[in-house]
Amino acid sequence: MASVVLSEAEKLYIVHGVQEDLRVDGRGCEDYRCAEVETDVVSNTSGSARVKLGHTDILVGVKAEMGTPKLEKPDEGYLEFFVDCSANATPEFEGRGGEELGTEIANTLYRVFSSESSVDLKSLCINPREHCWVVYVDVLLLECGGNLFDAISIAVKAALFNTRIPKVRVLEDEEGSKEIELSDDPYDCIRLNVVDVPCIVTLSKIGYRHVVDATLQEEACSLASLLISVTSKGALTSMKKVGKGSLDPESIFEMMEMGKRVGKALHIALQKILDEEESLGTSRQKVGFLG
Amino acid sequence: MAEITMRLPVARKAVAPSAPRGGEKHLVAPGDTITTDTGYMRGHGTYVDEEKLIASVAGAVERVNKLVCVKALKTRYNGEVGDIVVGRITEVQQKRWKVETNSRLDSVLLLSSVNLPGGELRRRSAEDELAMRDYLQEGDLISAEVQSVFSDGAVSLHTRSLKYGKLGQGVLVQVSPSLVKRQKTHFHDLPCGASVILGNNGFIWIYPTPEQKDEEAGGFTTNLEPVPLSDREVISRLRNCIVALVTQKLMLFDTSILYCYEASLPHQIKDILKPEVMEEIVLETRQKLLDLEG
């Protein structure tokens, strides 16, 4: 992960500030930085989203392709995640430097979406045991400004909301061989239901308190963090502890409660902005990358 | 209660230029012709191609008699003797420290250029060399003055005055060096209750005003007491104001920072970073600065 070097006095200042619920940029312990969300930024994907959370910039592209279902789940489609840490984000990611972080994030995403209720995989099935939709979710890190997991999960949810998978019909010949017919109308597509898609909330322990949405400087002062994935109804789907420090079981419980609270508010805010963007329709001015 | 705001991105609209004072600035991009007159001497940021003077960086053209140079808008720090800089120690070497100052090469702080505790004047011995890390470690912040510039552009620093030295608790903001206005003094004690060091290299250090001036203000001992909440609020507000000024590309100097602080008082500290509040505050600051001049 990209990190900054801080002097001992600076770290002390940050820790004392968190203690008094006043962080360096004036936020409280439970406040997020101002986030910018835009969907449908990449034209040749089934769905895409770009999220800017302070200095963290994430781009997610979703492509739906036809494939064969997994042997153990013959009547479901599945999701595949790939995370690319581009060297744009920080020089440490040059060459193969970003691979380790990329696989860590991808594995976390697999774990978050492993719950059966997150995405309705049965709707992705076309022909049991033969054809199904495989949804490839590709995440690109453009800039690293702290709190990667949260921003990535917000972007993935927005991209899945934006995904449009074409409707297909299965035609059967007299011999019994099946043919798949794609609908002629490009607007005839199915949308994924993202109501139960979880979002990751990272709680970093700084001193004796914990904060949400840590910047790079705050991450340098925190020894341990808890990543929890929360659905919009407040249910936890997965939990992971990162960092070399230790966490007290009581503080883990407190962090879980805070995470659920913050997670619910995050979902409400995100759904509101996605609905607002949808209501603008085709008249929306796309900002993209050159705004 | 958690406060989470999300918004749709808005295309940046060109800000109406303020009334030009003292002539329009001649802005050029790399490759633009500055002049075809051959009588001019070329300075930094220009080159001659087929009898035309062409800019090699993006910035404003400056003309002093016969010398034409282009001052880049976004660049690394180019050291000049006498500049005040704020830097971060990256390496501790044999008789010197390497300091990061946002320039093309790491700056150098020689052991002979720092003040020894107690203010003694003597030759640096082998014990001093071994004790270097006790004074300045990797990651420490210092304020220093540029003593000289090497031929390759690397800068040599010194802290041979009581006002320079290791910095204690506070907040660092990194901006582009071209946004820091050159002034007589870069150490300001703002009336709002905090102090600010405007480094020429773009590193701005905001810290709580020390109550009394200690003799050892060369910074050998850092004050590790918790900073009171009222001071913290002032420092956070100043930090957000500076970020707002930088986003709107206003020059940074003590008056502009102070006006921006006053304009931001009706808003909450964390609201200053919202785009619409930022625009409003900076517009007010710009207006006050124009009134001050006119």
Side-chain angles (χ1 to χ4, degrees):
Chain A
M1 196 93 79
S3 53
V4 285
V5 189
L6 290 180
S7 70
E8 291 305 317
E10 275 177 283
K11 286 190 194 165
L12 199 69
Y13 183 82
I14 292 177
V15 170
H16 285 158
V18 166
Q19 220 99 316
E20 310 206 15
D21 201 21
L22 183 71
R23 287 150 87 173
V24 162
D25 49 5
R27 287 184 288 156
C29 292
E30 292 189 12
D31 293 332
Y32 266 79
R33 286 170 285 184
C34 196
E36 267 183 22
V37 178
E38 197 186 0
T39 61
D40 208 18
V41 282
V42 185
S43 47
N44 58 343
T45 53
S46 311
S48 59
R50 181 173 178 213
V51 167
K52 265 204 277 206
L53 191 67
H55 280 296
T56 305
D57 203 343
I58 312 281
L59 177 66
V60 172
V62 175
K63 276 192 101 91
E65 286 181 11
M66 209 92 79
T68 30
K70 291 191 177 148
L71 286 170
E72 61 267 16
K73 301 232 169 97
D75 55 349
E76 287 180 2
Y78 54 99
L79 277 85
E80 288 276 350
F81 293 97
F82 175 68
V83 178
D84 181 15
C85 301
S86 97
N88 267 343
T90 156
E92 291 163 17
F93 292 161
E94 199 185 353
R96 298 187 63 170
E99 251 183 57
E100 202 186 302
L101 179 63
T103 34
E104 189 193 333
I105 301 178
N107 289 340
T108 313
L109 285 172
Y110 276 119
R111 203 143 123 195
V112 165
F113 282 81
S114 62
S115 155
E116 282 176 359
S117 54
S118 320
V119 177
D120 185 12
L121 296 171
K122 291 204 164 43
S123 64
L124 296 174
C125 179
I126 307 168
N127 252 339
R129 281 187 301 276
E130 282 176 26
H131 299 110
C132 73
W133 284 113
V134 182
V135 178
Y136 291 98
V137 181
D138 296 314
V139 179
L140 176 63
L141 246 72
L142 291 170
E143 209 183 331
C144 245
N147 203 19
L148 288 177
F149 287 92
D150 294 29
I152 289 176
S153 69
I154 295 173
V156 166
K157 181 169 180 182
L160 288 173
F161 179 81
N162 180 241
T163 305
R164 278 148 177 71
I165 302 179
K167 280 209 184 117
V168 288
R169 285 189 307 147
V170 184
L171 305 165
E172 223 175 284
D173 276 353
E174 304 93 38
E175 288 118 41
S177 64
K178 295 187 175 129
E179 215 178 80
I180 301 201
E181 190 187 297
L182 214 64
S183 159
D184 279 335
D185 182 5
Y187 292 106
D188 188 20
C189 41
I190 52 173
R191 307 271 308 264
L192 290 172
N193 183 8
V194 295
V195 163
D196 282 323
V197 166
C199 267
I200 301 179
V201 177
T202 310
L203 297 122
S204 311
K205 176 158 175 245
I206 297 180
Y208 295 114
R209 294 189 65 161
H210 28 274
V211 298
V212 165
D213 192 17
T215 59
L216 278 178
Q217 283 82 10
E218 287 166 347
E219 278 181 359
C221 304
S222 133
L223 285 173
S225 312
L226 197 68
L227 262 80
I228 61 171
S229 55
V230 192
T231 63
S232 53
K233 300 193 182 75
L236 244 73
T237 62
S238 79
M239 199 157 91
K240 181 176 169 185
K241 177 206 167 278
V242 290
K244 55 188 187 218
S246 57
L247 286 175
D248 198 66
E250 265 184 40
S251 52
I252 293 183
F253 183 70
E254 272 173 31
M255 286 159 120
M256 271 167 56
E257 292 299 313
M258 189 202 256
K260 281 196 242 179
R261 240 189 356 252
V262 173
K264 280 204 265 196
L266 189 66
H267 277 283
I268 293 173
L270 179 61
Q271 197 55 48
K272 188 168 131 204
I273 205 77
L274 289 175
D275 291 334
E276 194 184 311
E277 206 185 26
E278 180 107 5
S279 64
L280 289 173
T282 40
S283 63
R284 167 169 74 102
Q285 275 217 319
K286 289 197 190 166
V287 173
F289 292 89
L290 297 173
Chain B
M1 200 37 235
E3 198 190 292
I4 303 175
T5 46
M6 294 207 189
R7 54 187 61 223
L8 295 171
V10 180
R12 222 185 355 219
K13 26 181 217 292
V15 178
S18 51
R21 21 181 181 95
E24 299 260 340
K25 274 203 187 148
H26 183 195
L27 296 174
V28 289
D32 280 354
T33 314
I34 302 173
T35 175
T36 44
D37 191 349
T38 48
Y40 286 104
M41 273 201 309
R42 57 174 195 81
H44 289 302
T46 65
Y47 64 98
V48 177
D49 190 31
E50 293 171 17
E51 298 200 10
K52 285 187 294 189
L53 202 61
I54 303 181
S56 62
V57 289
V61 176
E62 284 179 8
R63 209 164 290 203
V64 179
N65 295 338
K66 284 275 181 192
L67 178 69
V68 173
C69 60
V70 182
K71 185 162 171 273
L73 287 171
K74 184 180 167 187
T75 168
R76 290 240 169 207
Y77 170 61
N78 290 320
E80 281 171 43
V81 180
D83 279 355
I84 314 279
V85 295
V86 171
R88 203 183 279 282
I89 308 287
T90 51
E91 278 177 50
V92 181
Q93 293 186 345
Q94 276 209 310
K95 276 206 190 65
R96 59 201 190 162
W97 289 274
K98 284 282 183 168
V99 183
E100 198 238 310
T101 51
N102 196 22
S103 37
R104 278 187 287 269
L105 293 165
D106 272 343
S107 308
V108 156
L109 176 64
L110 296 171
L111 178 59
S112 47
S113 309
V114 302
N115 278 339
L116 288 170
E120 320 158 39
L121 293 172
R122 59 172 170 78
R123 248 184 111 92
R124 306 292 190 264
S125 62
E127 281 100 36
D128 291 317
E129 253 184 84
L130 294 170
M132 273 173 80
R133 196 167 254 117
D134 294 335
Y135 176 30
L136 288 174
Q137 276 194 323
E138 285 91 341
D140 282 343
L141 279 172
I142 54 162
S143 67
E145 192 180 320
V146 174
Q147 190 174 43
S148 61
V149 182
F150 294 119
S151 50
D152 55 4
V155 152
S156 176
L157 305 170
H158 78 88
T159 55
R160 277 195 157 290
S161 166
L162 291 176
K163 56 181 180 174
Y164 306 128
K166 186 154 83 163
L167 298 172
Q169 293 192 53
V171 176
L172 183 74
V173 186
Q174 293 179 314
V175 312
S176 169
S178 48
L179 287 172
V180 179
K181 190 168 175 176
R182 265 181 205 283
Q183 289 185 289
K184 261 169 72 172
T185 167
H186 288 256
F187 291 77
H188 302 284
D189 278 341
L190 297 175
C192 44
S195 302
V196 119
I197 303 181
L198 296 165
N200 284 94
N201 60 334
F203 283 16
I204 316 266
W205 178 248
I206 314 169
Y207 60 108
T209 313
E211 268 103 44
Q212 78 275 46
K213 302 280 175 195
D214 341 352
E215 296 93 49
E216 303 258 319
F220 267 92
T221 50
T222 18
N223 184 8
L224 294 175
E225 277 172 28
V227 174
L229 189 63
S230 48
D231 286 347
R232 276 181 191 279
E233 287 178 354
V234 173
I235 292 177
S236 293
R237 194 178 277 278
L238 276 174
R239 182 235 178 232
N240 284 354
C241 286
I242 291 179
V243 170
L245 287 171
V246 163
T247 320
Q248 304 282 331
K249 304 277 189 289
L250 235 73
M251 289 294 276
L252 286 174
F253 52 105
D254 54 349
T255 322
S256 72
I257 296 177
L258 204 57
Y259 283 169
C260 193
Y261 180 87
E262 284 165 10
S264 76
L265 282 172
H267 303 273
Q268 274 204 318
I269 304 177
K270 54 189 171 185
D271 290 338
I272 300 177
L273 294 174
K274 290 192 184 152
E276 62 272 1
V277 177
M278 217 190 268
E279 272 181 40
E280 186 196 317
I281 295 177
V282 174
L283 211 65
E284 205 182 310
T285 312
R286 196 180 259 150
Q287 194 53 47
K288 271 194 187 167
L289 286 170
L290 282 176
D291 291 340
L292 187 69
E293 281 178 34

